[in-house]
Amino acid sequence: MLYLAALLVHCVPLAMGQYDICKSWVTTDDGPSWEFYACQPKAMRMKDYVTVRVDPAGITCGDPPERFCTHNPYLCSDECDASNPDLAHPPKLMFDSEDEGLATYWQSVTWRRYPEPLLANITLSWNKSIELTDDIVITFEYGRPTIMMLEKSLDNGRTWHPYQYYADDCMEAFSMPARRVRDLSATSANRVLCTEEYSRWAGSKKEKTVRFEVRDRFAIFAGPDLKNMDNLYTRLESAKGLKDFFTVTDLRMRLLRPALGGTYVQRENLYKYFYAVSNIEVTGRCKCNLHANLCTFKEGSLQCECEHNTTGQDCGKCKKNFRSRSWRAGSYLPLPNGSPNACAAAGSAFGNCECYGHSNRCSYIDFLNVVTCVSCKHNTRGQHCQHCRLGFYRNSSAELDDENVCIECNCNQIGSMHDRCNETGYCECREGATGPKCDDCLPNYYWRQGCFPNVCDDELLLCQNGGTCYQNQRCICPAGFKGVLCQQSRCEADKQDCDRAPGAGGSLATVALGVLALQLRAWADL
Ligand SMILES: *[C@@H]1O[C@H](CO)[C@@H](O)[C@H](O)[C@H]1NC(C)=O
Ligand SMILES: *[C@@H]1O[C@H](CO)[C@@H](O)[C@H](O)[C@H]1NC(C)=O
Ligand SMILES: *[C@@H]1O[C@H](CO)[C@@H](O)[C@H](O)[C@H]1NC(C)=O
Ligand SMILES: *[C@@H]1O[C@H](CO)[C@@H](O)[C@H](O)[C@H]1NC(C)=O
Ligand SMILES: *[C@@H]1O[C@H](CO)[C@@H](O)[C@H](O)[C@H]1NC(C)=O
Ligand SMILES: [Ca+2]
């Protein structure tokens, strides 16, 4: 009974039904109607919905079958064989339910290529944004890695960011000081750090887990037992980047050095070094922007069941015909029920004024007798914010209600006539310039604050009398010649010049000085 009570207390904060209803039917002075609240789905065991990928190819043991040592390093009689279900250790064994008794685990090949590092990546993908609500717990059989890294992605694996570093010596492995999450403060709650807590050899086989401590970070705001969740939700709402810190679509464990079971690697017994992961526990809830309290697994991915007339996998936009205001996420505030920030039907107040979510306001213009959107955002303009502002063009593959529907023309200021472009983003170029943004020159033109016709080149406009063409801009003439293409002898042009004809050394120096002067001018132009 005591045990049960303790268990309940432990579970209360996360199971507590805060923000678990999206709407309720209430009776007011004006009669019965719906009242709407911010809402979010319950936390779930996310390993049940994950897809996993292990890299590089061939890192999983058993193909070909291989011997390894576990408990008794002197016998080394254990075997991994991918073709035998009893001896295989495929990645899916990191996500099965462990029945009481024997652990099932994924296992890597052994470190037989030592000293080449034994590297493995385990990538977990959900194809859905997830908000972590409890620690990530990775269980290693036969020792925890001495160096590893946890990375996360927020955009389905397109970009990755470090999440936490783990090493038995943080300074040596990552040039980072060792820190503990418990020592973080309110302003550093989303700091990425290196910890030595889960990598040191404990001299016993009991230390099996590596954690990413979500609870300890929550506790900075909600107190040690997470009793003050109101404070946490207030901070999640107001502290920049804090909510995103706990949000992921993918996680990646980069295993960089296996457990050593001592201070050095025994070269004569490399069969005892490998990775073996029996479980990866990820607890979180679907991110639904506080517009849904249910998240279901449909057609292979998790989807929010959106309320408040929102739609999309994360309830990230307004439903069609509910776009008279821009979409907004719900808010945890004010406590205790939050704000739904629901999408509103188009045209309820003013005829049918759709603004495609680019404006929150419509206005009636008396003398024209029209209703028009006011202060169109996202670089749109027009009565319904349906056009792009000058200097922007329409992204033809984006919906009109997309925030990024208008793309900046980005015309080169010098190369183009003006900063407007056509429907495919092409700018109008000045003479000699070319390219969609007019930042290139046509053949036979050179770029110097705009495109200018070549003065000289290697084909038609050859410098004469041994002159050399400098960046298509001018000929550098030998001492005795001048003119655009050095076509003119100084003697013919100017008798005096000829009389004072300098010696060979002087003329070389003049050429060198000329080159230097041109070089300096070119730099100055940059
Ligand atoms: C693991 O992923 C990182 C990128 O996060 C990549 O640079 C590295 O090559 C990968 N390692 C292996 C062994 O596939
Ligand atoms: C990811 O989810 C979206 C939305 O549910 C779906 O359209 C897409 O096919 C999924 N992609 C993969 C690779 O499962
Ligand atoms: C969503 O639209 C329906 C009509 O289709 C309406 O009855 C309901 O009240 C709206 N919900 C919200 C939160 O605005
Ligand atoms: C145009 O919109 C599509 C769909 O939203 C998007 O994938 C693409 O990146 C956008 N193109 C540009 C150039 O922004
Ligand atoms: C935009 O201009 C480019 C270059 O002049 C042209 O190839 C393209 O067809 C134009 N697009 C439209 C929609 O007019
Ligand atoms: Ca398992």
Side-chain angles (χ1 to χ4, degrees), residues 55-56 119-121 123 151 160 252 254:
D55 288 305
L119 304 176
N121 285 353
T123 307
E151 295 180 317
W160 290 90
R252 176 181 287 158
R254 296 179 62 180

Side-chain angles (χ1 to χ4, degrees), residues 126-128 156 298-303 313:
W126 283 276
N127 190 24
K128 171 80 192 76
N156 294 317
K298 269 193 240 162
E299 290 147 23
S301 20
L302 289 164
Q303 301 227 353
Q313 207 187 10

Side-chain angles (χ1 to χ4, degrees), residues 93 96 98 104 278:
L93 298 182
D96 57 349
E98 301 272 276
T104 55
S278 58

Side-chain angles (χ1 to χ4, degrees), residues 421-428 435-436:
C421 55
N422 77 6
E423 288 148 51
T424 46
Y426 277 79
C427 304
E428 213 179 315

Side-chain angles (χ1 to χ4, degrees), residues 54-56 59 106 108 118-122 253-256 275:
V54 176
D55 288 305
I59 188 71
W106 166 78
S108 76
L118 180 63
L119 304 176
N121 285 353
I122 303 173
M253 272 137 264
R254 296 179 62 180
L255 309 180
L256 301 169
Y275 305 107

